[in-house]
Structures are given as structure tokens and as C-alpha cells.
Amino acid sequence: MDVMFDTEIKSLLQTDPAAAAEKINTFIERQNNTPLNIAITGETGSGKSTFINYFQRMTNDDAGAAPTGVTETTIDVKEYPHPEYPNVKLWDFPGIGTTKFPADTYLELLGSRKFDFFIIISDTRFRENDVKLAKAIQKMKKKFYFVRSKIDNDLQAEARGKRNVNEQEILQKIRNDCIQGLQDEGFESPQVFLLSSFDLHLYDFPLLHETLERELPELMRHALLMTIPNINLEVIKKKKKALQAQIKYYAAGSAAGAAVPVPGLSFAVDIGIIVTAVTHFVVSFSLDIPSLKKLANTTGVPYDDLKKVILSPLAAVKITSELIMKVLSQLASVATLMAGEEVSRWIPIIGIPATMAFSFAGTYKALSHILNMLAEDAERVFKRALGLNSSE
């Protein structure tokens, strides 16, 4: 985050703690609620709705999932807010080129709303309508990404009746075929991402995520990271790093609350801030109950088996003040800091500044410890869901 912002917060904590608290709350709110609108387009049957569902950590049968089927199931542009982060929306477009939505009408529809980027999905070579779509998006000066879907089906078809199959050769052949077709249509250096919506951790989805990370503005990049499924251990590490960067602002908010000379209020503020932050951590790592149940449904690993590898008392439960206080009471260093916070407020002259310092340190230490526990749980759940050994 901008050094000037950090300097401003430090100055306000010394001169106007209430203003500092307001500015911190606005910053965290903006970070965690930045709108991100992703348009999913392509021809009928290309796998748009399935992609949306699995990106949203849903199965096709879940309530609220995008409808899927062998015939055209999307008859109008429909938004699908992320279940945990509704600021991130995936927009499902009808299949381009159908009788209900001929290409020209479709392109008008495309430009009628503001989208941050487009994903063009095809389950074969990219056809004429896909190219029209991409060129129209180019004219709007928006980013678009070609996704070749249903790669698992292609690999199964290639392997049928054969003893030795080189998966990488098949994937490269499909990729080259798609790229060549796009080059023939006038795209100089097209990049095509191969994926299976049922196995986002395989093939090119991690590469697609890395590409989006490079090309999106900072706040949108953060929004995407928090909502993306845990497709590999690297994503979990990135989430942890991003959440760790927020902890100093939660702690600064805690220090601002400590400046109010009311006995017991500072402790209550600290607990409230920690509850808010930990709830955010748990959801970001997909360790909340709904997310774990969805993971069980999509992977076939029983929910109870996923819960067995969780060691933190703060995952797969409702986060309450009572639970947070119970966890913190078991952390000697944090309990000491919080005790010092209340005692120091009665010291003449330096009491309030000391209380603020204790409050900052206690909240920072508590959240850092909890974040480490939850990140380790997320890694264990990921490995269990994919049937990996702990050493892999």
C-alpha cells in the first residue's frame, strides 16, 4: 500500500484517532468490496455456465448455479455474484450466433454494460463468431482471453483405444490448432488457455490466473484473488500474503479505538475487529462451512474427511466474540499485551499512547498467529481434497 497513506494514518493516530479509524475502515471496505465484473461469452454448449459454477465453487446442481445442458440454457445476460464476495460478478451471456441472438445483435448487447474483462470460451477451434466477438471487444479497448474448454474430454477421446498417450503432446497440438486458427483470422500473438471446468487446478487455469494478476489494477487483482478457488498451494500463499498486508490496518483501527478513555471499551473494540478480520480470513481460504461443503460436493471427498485435517478451532465454525476470546486466552503473549492495554490507561500522561501501542501490538500478534493457522489448514484441506500426501 502507498507509503503516504501509511504515514497519514500514523499522523492521524497521534492527532485525531477518530479520523484515523474512519479512514482505515474506508480503506479496508474498499479493498474487500471493489467491484469486478467478468463477462463469460462464447457459442452455445461451449461450457460457459459450467465454468461459472466451478469458479464460484459450485456444482451444476447447486441452488443458484448457472443452468447447464446440451441445449441453449442461457437466454439472456445474467449476473452471478460470488456467494461469499458479491462484489465479484460473473456474467453469463447467451450463445453467440443463435437464432435468438445473431452476431450483430449480440455485439450490441456486449457493449451495453461495463465489464472489466471478457473470457471467450470454445470447446473446439475458435470460429467466426468468436473472432467477431474478440474484435468487437478490442474496439471497446477491453481485455479478453481465449479459453479452450472441455480439455478432459479431448484427452479421453485421444486415449481411447491407445496404449501409450503423451498428454503434453496432445495439449500442445490442441493449443497450436487454436492459435493457428486465430492467427488466420488476423490475431498476431493470441494466447489460448486450455482448461477443464471440473478440474480448475489442472491444465492452464493457474496460468490464466497469473495472467489476470499481471494485467488487472491492484484492487481488482485483490478481489479476484480472494474469490478464486484454491487451485494450488501458490494461490493459498498469495492469499496469505495479501491478508497479512491488511493486518497492520486492522491493528491500527484497534489502536484508534484504544484512544477513547473508557475502561473496557478498547478490549471490546479489539475483539470486534478480530472477529471481523478472522471471518474474512476464513472465507478467503474457503474454510467456512458452506465452502467446505461445496468442496466436498465438487471433489467427492466427504465433508467430515475435510474437517478432520483442520487443526484450527476457528475454521468450519461460526466466528463469535466468545470463541475469539477463548482462543486468545490460550496465547500467552497476546493475553499479556491485552492485559497491559487496560492497566496502562491509568498511567498519567503516557497512559493513552501506551494503551494504543499495546492495543496495536496485541491485535497484530493475534491476527498474525490466527492467519498462520488458517493458511496451514487451507493447505491441508487442499491436499486432502486432491488426495495428496502432506509432503507433496
Side-chain angles (χ1 to χ4, degrees):
M1 182 42 62
D2 192 279
V3 175
M4 290 182 63
F5 179 80
D6 288 357
T7 303
E8 183 182 5
I9 293 299
K10 288 179 182 177
S11 176
L12 284 174
L13 283 172
Q14 296 170 357
T15 58
D16 191 348
E22 183 178 352
K23 193 168 268 301
I24 290 164
N25 288 337
T26 300
F27 164 73
I28 293 175
E29 182 74 15
R30 190 162 62 97
Q31 258 213 335
N32 294 340
N33 294 283
T34 296
L36 179 61
N37 291 282
I38 307 169
I40 311 297
T41 69
E43 293 195 340
T44 299
S46 60
K48 302 186 304 296
S49 297
T50 298
F51 175 85
I52 288 172
N53 291 338
Y54 277 75
F55 185 93
Q56 304 275 50
R57 309 170 195 169
M58 292 183 172
T59 66
N60 292 338
D61 297 329
D62 284 343
T68 59
V70 293
T71 58
E72 177 58 52
T73 54
T74 305
I75 58 174
D76 195 5
V77 181
K78 186 169 181 181
E79 63 177 303
Y80 290 92
H82 191 277
E84 283 79 37
Y85 291 94
N87 53 303
V88 176
K89 297 177 182 177
L90 275 69
W91 296 77
D92 193 6
F93 272 71
I96 185 171
T98 63
T99 54
K100 290 183 180 179
F101 289 93
D104 293 340
T105 304
Y106 194 94
L107 296 179
E108 289 178 15
L109 187 65
L110 207 63
S112 65
R113 291 182 171 94
K114 292 183 178 180
F115 301 102
D116 296 302
F117 63 88
F118 297 77
I119 292 178
I120 304 172
I121 297 180
S122 176
D123 60 345
T124 58
R125 289 188 67 168
F126 292 92
R127 301 186 179 94
E128 179 184 357
N129 284 331
D130 298 313
V131 172
K132 280 185 180 179
L133 201 55
K135 290 182 176 177
I137 295 168
Q138 269 186 330
K139 287 182 180 178
M140 291 188 286
K141 296 183 178 179
K142 293 286 186 179
K143 292 280 188 181
F144 61 90
Y145 305 90
F146 291 111
V147 165
R148 171 64 162 79
S149 65
K150 304 182 182 179
I151 290 301
D152 50 331
N153 292 346
D154 292 279
L155 291 172
Q156 289 172 11
E158 286 284 342
R160 196 171 295 128
K162 298 178 182 178
R163 289 184 178 179
N164 298 314
V165 176
N166 188 316
E167 183 175 291
Q168 291 307 312
E169 285 185 3
I170 297 170
L171 293 174
Q172 193 57 50
K173 178 182 176 183
I174 295 170
R175 185 180 287 106
N176 291 342
D177 184 53
C178 290
I179 290 173
Q180 185 60 56
L182 290 167
Q183 287 176 334
D184 291 344
E185 294 291 344
F187 288 96
E188 291 185 7
S189 302
Q191 190 171 10
V192 177
F193 301 92
L194 313 183
L195 61 86
S196 163
S197 295
F198 296 102
D199 297 293
L200 290 182
H201 62 287
L202 300 177
Y203 315 118
D204 289 345
F205 192 83
L207 179 60
L208 174 61
H209 177 234
E210 289 173 12
T211 304
L212 293 171
E213 275 194 311
R214 284 196 306 271
E215 299 183 356
L216 283 174
E218 180 184 354
L219 290 177
M220 289 184 184
R221 188 163 64 243
H222 181 84
L224 180 70
L225 177 61
M226 292 301 106
T227 54
I228 199 169
N230 293 335
I231 53 174
N232 54 34
L233 295 177
E234 185 60 30
V235 164
I236 295 172
K237 288 181 172 63
K238 287 179 179 178
K239 287 183 179 182
K240 180 184 176 182
K241 182 178 179 181
L243 294 170
Q244 181 68 51
Q246 287 187 337
I247 287 179
K248 63 181 177 181
Y249 298 108
Y250 287 116
S254 180
V260 181
V262 177
L265 178 62
S266 177
F267 180 75
V269 170
D270 291 350
I271 296 299
I273 287 174
I274 293 172
V275 167
T276 299
V278 172
T279 301
H280 177 48
F281 295 171
V282 169
V283 171
S284 298
F285 284 129
S286 301
L287 292 172
D288 55 302
I289 294 171
S291 293
L292 286 170
K293 288 185 175 179
K294 288 173 187 174
L295 180 62
N297 288 336
T298 55
T299 61
V301 177
Y303 172 73
D304 288 341
D305 286 3
L306 296 176
K307 278 194 68 176
K308 283 178 184 176
V309 301
I310 292 174
L311 301 183
S312 167
L314 295 169
V317 294
K318 179 176 175 58
I319 307 299
T320 63
S321 298
E322 293 74 20
L323 179 59
I324 290 295
M325 286 189 287
K326 181 180 178 181
V327 171
L328 296 184
S329 69
Q330 298 169 358
L331 303 176
S333 58
V334 173
T336 300
L337 287 167
M338 289 189 164
E341 181 180 334
E342 287 304 312
V343 172
S344 62
R345 112 172 19 261
W346 305 106
I347 302 174
I349 303 175
I350 65 166
I352 294 300
T355 299
M356 293 173 69
F358 274 119
S359 182
F360 181 97
T363 300
Y364 190 95
K365 195 172 189 66
L367 287 177
S368 295
H369 178 83
I370 291 169
L371 179 62
N372 287 335
M373 289 195 302
L374 292 172
E376 290 171 3
D377 276 339
E379 291 188 4
R380 281 190 288 269
V381 168
F382 171 79
K383 291 173 181 177
R384 179 64 188 90
L386 295 185
L388 301 177
N389 295 325
S390 59
S391 60
E392 291 183 89

